[in-house]
Amino acid sequence: MHSQSLETKGNILVIDDTPENLHLLAAMLTKQGYKVRSVTKGAAGLRGAQAAPPDLILLDINMPEMNGYEVCQHLKAGDRTSDIPVIFISAMNDVLDKVKAFSVGGVDFITKPFQVEEVLARVENHLTIRNLRLSLQEQNAKLQQEIHERKQAEEKFSKAFRSSPSPIAITTLVEKCFIDVNSSYLNMSGYSLEEIIGQNVTELNGISSEKYTITIDKLLETGLLQNYEMEFHTKSGEVRVVLLSAELIDLFGVQCILNIINDITERKRLENEFISLVSHELRTPLTSLMGSLDLLSTGQLGTLSAKGQKVLNIATTNTERLIRLINDILDLERMKSGKIPMQPVKCNVADLIDQAVAAMQAMAERAQITLVTEVVPAELIADPDRILQTLTNLLSNAIKFSEAGGTVWLRVRRESEKVQIEVQDCGRGIPANKLQTIFERFQQVDVSDSRKKGGTGLGLAICRKIIEQHQGKIWVESVLGEGSTFYVILPLAGFGCE
């Protein structure tokens, strides 16, 4: 309503019954870049101010019909004009006249005959004050709106926090101490609110210090942690399997962590029972089926037609795929339960790389992929079979997802206490939202990959388990359309895995 024109310094309304004064004021103000409207009667000035409120009014006191004091009183009584600064201009120089001018709402008083410099200085000064006041009002309005919105958001968060069926806890980032927890968290943990608030996360037999530190490190790396599986110990000593999701939040200027827990204990139990049952029940008949198919392929039961041989090849391929899937499932489950002990010995990385390349060379040639190695000598204390399993799995994936004529690099870099192995391809790449999940069981970049590429969705999960059991680390970096690089870090001999 009071917005200032972009082309002028301000809109000024001059109300004076003397035409000479109007012309003089209009000329000097226009010359300085102001937009000026002039009227000779108080009533006309009121109508003009109501219709298009100016930024400032210069008002003469002695006018017929309605004097300046009355005009100012009407201006201050109107909703659209009450905030307009009014500067009185009068030949009267009595103190009482000035006092009355201020009492009816004027902001300044200029005595006639006036000086040009004085008028311009006072006009500019009061326009500056007005603009600052309007700016402050606008900022206050925005602040009040932000406060209102924040209050609404806090109320929504508080309601969701309290009523959520998922256990939720808020902890400080630095001290890792509880600030607040909801009733679901209390029910799962078995503690009372008084026993939890102010305590360190790892002091209540909840989550191991080492595990929680790892989760915090991952959270700080990515800004968000989703569905990180870990064990949770209740007050009674019961062990629950949970998925932890965490996010950094600011709470009254303190960096905190919003921890959301999903209890999957029962689901894990049923899942493990199902996997174990199905895997073992399928293994025996599949072994018999594979033996029968092998017998058919030898021709001892008769020669097959071309069509029959094609059907036999399809059956053999899919049976082998099922056997690989079952073996991978059992392998992964045994690793997770610790039933497959590692057999670490001193081994040379270069030898393992040579063996992995030799094992995958035929596959690479069929896919028209060139394997390139860059190796430095380094000794590990590791289970060579398991490390070789990891390398061939990573190479297999790199070959499968590369275009014909492409190159896959296998590099080894040595640092002071560790060795870094890289498997790089120039394939299709991996979306950012899949970089973490592909290391989970039955996770693939594309659901059609299992059909087109013959994968089980377990290979990377097994790789991660093997590397973690060697006190190492595995991750992937990728750019869509340009390729992916899988990194494996393992401690050198003398620095771990003894």
Side-chain angles (χ1 to χ4, degrees):
M1 181 172 64
H2 298 293
S3 61
Q4 186 171 304
S5 171
L6 294 176
E7 294 81 15
T8 64
K9 294 169 64 175
N11 295 313
I12 298 176
L13 174 63
V14 182
I15 307 173
D16 194 321
D17 64 337
T18 306
E20 292 80 4
N21 289 340
L22 289 178
H23 294 318
L24 179 59
L25 289 169
M28 76 169 71
L29 292 170
T30 302
K31 185 177 180 180
Q32 295 300 316
Y34 297 101
K35 183 177 180 180
V36 181
R37 286 182 290 159
S38 302
V39 294
T40 57
K41 293 184 178 181
L46 280 175
R47 289 193 297 271
Q50 287 284 349
D55 298 318
L56 183 141
I57 295 175
L58 293 174
L59 179 59
D60 187 23
I61 293 178
N62 288 324
M63 292 184 298
E65 298 179 9
M66 182 184 294
N67 63 38
Y69 298 134
E70 295 171 311
V71 173
C72 189
Q73 287 175 324
H74 284 289
L75 288 170
K76 295 305 171 182
D79 293 335
R80 288 170 58 82
T81 57
S82 60
D83 291 333
I84 302 173
V86 176
I87 299 178
F88 282 98
I89 298 177
S90 176
M92 297 185 297
N93 196 25
D94 189 81
V95 173
L96 293 177
D97 295 321
K98 295 180 179 181
V99 170
K100 186 173 182 180
F102 288 118
S103 68
V104 296
V107 297
D108 210 339
F109 194 101
I110 300 175
T111 304
K112 297 178 183 179
F114 45 76
Q115 299 294 322
V116 173
E117 292 80 4
E118 179 185 8
V119 173
L120 293 176
R122 292 178 185 269
V123 166
E124 184 174 353
N125 179 54
H126 286 291
L127 281 176
T128 300
I129 293 173
R130 174 187 177 277
N131 291 335
L132 289 173
R133 177 171 52 80
L134 291 177
S135 177
L136 181 60
Q137 289 175 349
E138 184 178 353
Q139 291 178 18
N140 285 338
K142 288 182 178 179
L143 180 59
Q144 290 298 323
Q145 180 64 24
E146 289 175 3
I147 292 173
H148 176 69
E149 291 175 354
R150 181 164 185 172
K151 185 177 180 181
Q152 283 188 320
E154 289 175 351
E155 289 175 352
K156 289 181 180 178
F157 173 79
S158 179
K159 185 176 181 180
F161 178 80
R162 299 298 172 194
S163 60
S164 173
S166 298
I168 303 177
I170 301 175
T171 58
T172 56
L173 175 62
V174 178
E175 299 84 4
K176 301 181 180 64
C177 291
F178 287 100
I179 293 180
D180 201 359
V181 298
N182 66 354
S183 57
S184 298
Y185 190 96
L186 296 176
N187 293 335
M188 184 185 73
S189 67
Y191 290 97
S192 66
L193 189 63
E194 292 74 18
E195 291 175 310
I196 286 182
I197 301 303
Q199 296 297 316
N200 188 280
V201 173
T202 60
E203 291 177 354
L204 295 176
N205 299 322
I207 301 171
S208 71
S209 177
E210 182 180 355
K211 273 281 189 181
Y212 197 67
T213 300
I214 292 173
T215 62
I216 299 304
D217 291 341
K218 289 188 176 183
L219 175 61
L220 293 176
E221 286 178 12
T222 62
L224 183 66
L225 186 73
Q226 290 185 324
N227 297 330
Y228 188 80
E229 187 175 319
M230 58 175 53
E231 291 183 348
F232 184 95
H233 298 260
T234 67
K235 183 179 180 180
S236 64
E238 181 185 5
V239 178
R240 311 292 295 178
V241 182
V242 301
L243 294 178
L244 174 65
S245 298
E247 184 175 352
L248 291 173
I249 60 172
D250 184 276
L251 199 61
F252 306 112
V254 178
Q255 269 206 305
C256 299
I257 303 171
L258 180 67
N259 305 271
I260 302 176
I261 293 174
N262 183 17
D263 188 347
I264 60 169
T265 307
E266 185 62 20
R267 189 181 84 186
K268 290 291 291 184
R269 184 186 67 80
L270 294 173
E271 176 186 309
N272 292 336
E273 287 182 0
F274 175 77
I275 289 173
S276 178
L277 176 64
V278 171
S279 299
H280 286 91
E281 289 297 322
L282 285 176
R283 209 170 190 183
T284 300
L286 278 175
T287 302
S288 299
L289 178 60
M290 195 66 209
S292 300
L293 292 173
D294 288 340
L295 184 60
L296 278 174
S297 66
T298 62
Q300 297 180 34
L301 301 180
T303 303
L304 295 173
S305 64
K307 187 175 182 180
Q309 186 62 48
K310 184 178 180 181
V311 171
L312 176 62
N313 292 338
I314 292 173
T316 301
T317 299
N318 284 282
T319 303
E320 289 175 345
R321 181 182 165 197
L322 276 174
I323 292 174
R324 285 199 307 271
L325 174 60
I326 291 171
N327 288 337
D328 283 348
I329 291 174
L330 292 176
D331 212 5
L332 185 59
E333 289 305 312
R334 284 195 293 263
M335 283 183 185
K336 292 180 68 176
S337 62
K339 293 179 181 178
I340 298 184
M342 293 289 145
Q343 298 177 351
V345 296
K346 184 173 286 188
C347 51
N348 191 287
V349 175
D351 294 338
L352 295 174
I353 296 298
D354 289 342
Q355 294 176 50
V357 171
M360 303 308 300
Q361 190 63 52
M363 179 182 179
E365 290 174 357
R366 287 195 301 271
Q368 301 177 42
I369 301 297
T370 302
L371 298 180
V372 178
T373 60
E374 299 174 11
V375 182
V376 295
E379 287 192 340
L380 304 175
I381 301 295
D383 186 325
D385 292 336
R386 293 301 176 183
I387 298 301
L388 185 60
Q389 181 181 358
T390 299
L391 294 176
T392 54
N393 198 307
L394 294 178
L395 281 174
S396 174
N397 284 343
I399 293 169
K400 283 191 292 187
F401 296 105
S402 294
E403 296 293 333
T407 302
V408 171
W409 291 268
L410 184 56
R411 303 186 184 93
V412 177
R413 307 180 192 277
R414 178 172 177 170
E415 298 184 15
S416 58
E417 298 180 2
K418 60 188 178 182
V419 62
Q420 179 170 296
I421 303 171
E422 302 171 8
V423 178
Q424 180 184 358
D425 64 62
C426 296
R428 69 189 185 188
I430 303 169
N433 63 339
K434 295 282 189 177
L435 292 178
Q436 295 296 326
T437 59
I438 59 171
F439 290 98
E440 302 294 335
R441 292 184 298 175
F442 305 109
Q443 293 294 323
Q444 294 179 319
V445 174
D446 191 321
V447 293
S448 65
D449 286 343
S450 61
R451 298 187 297 271
K452 296 178 181 178
K453 308 295 184 179
T456 64
L458 290 171
L460 290 177
I462 292 173
C463 289
R464 182 175 70 174
K465 201 66 183 177
I466 290 173
I467 298 305
E468 287 178 349
Q469 288 185 327
H470 282 81
Q471 301 174 25
K473 182 180 179 182
I474 183 171
W475 76 96
V476 61
E477 295 177 1
S478 183
V479 178
L480 279 177
E482 297 183 15
S484 307
T485 302
F486 282 82
Y487 296 88
V488 174
I489 288 182
L490 293 167
L492 288 169
F495 296 98
C497 293
E498 282 88 344

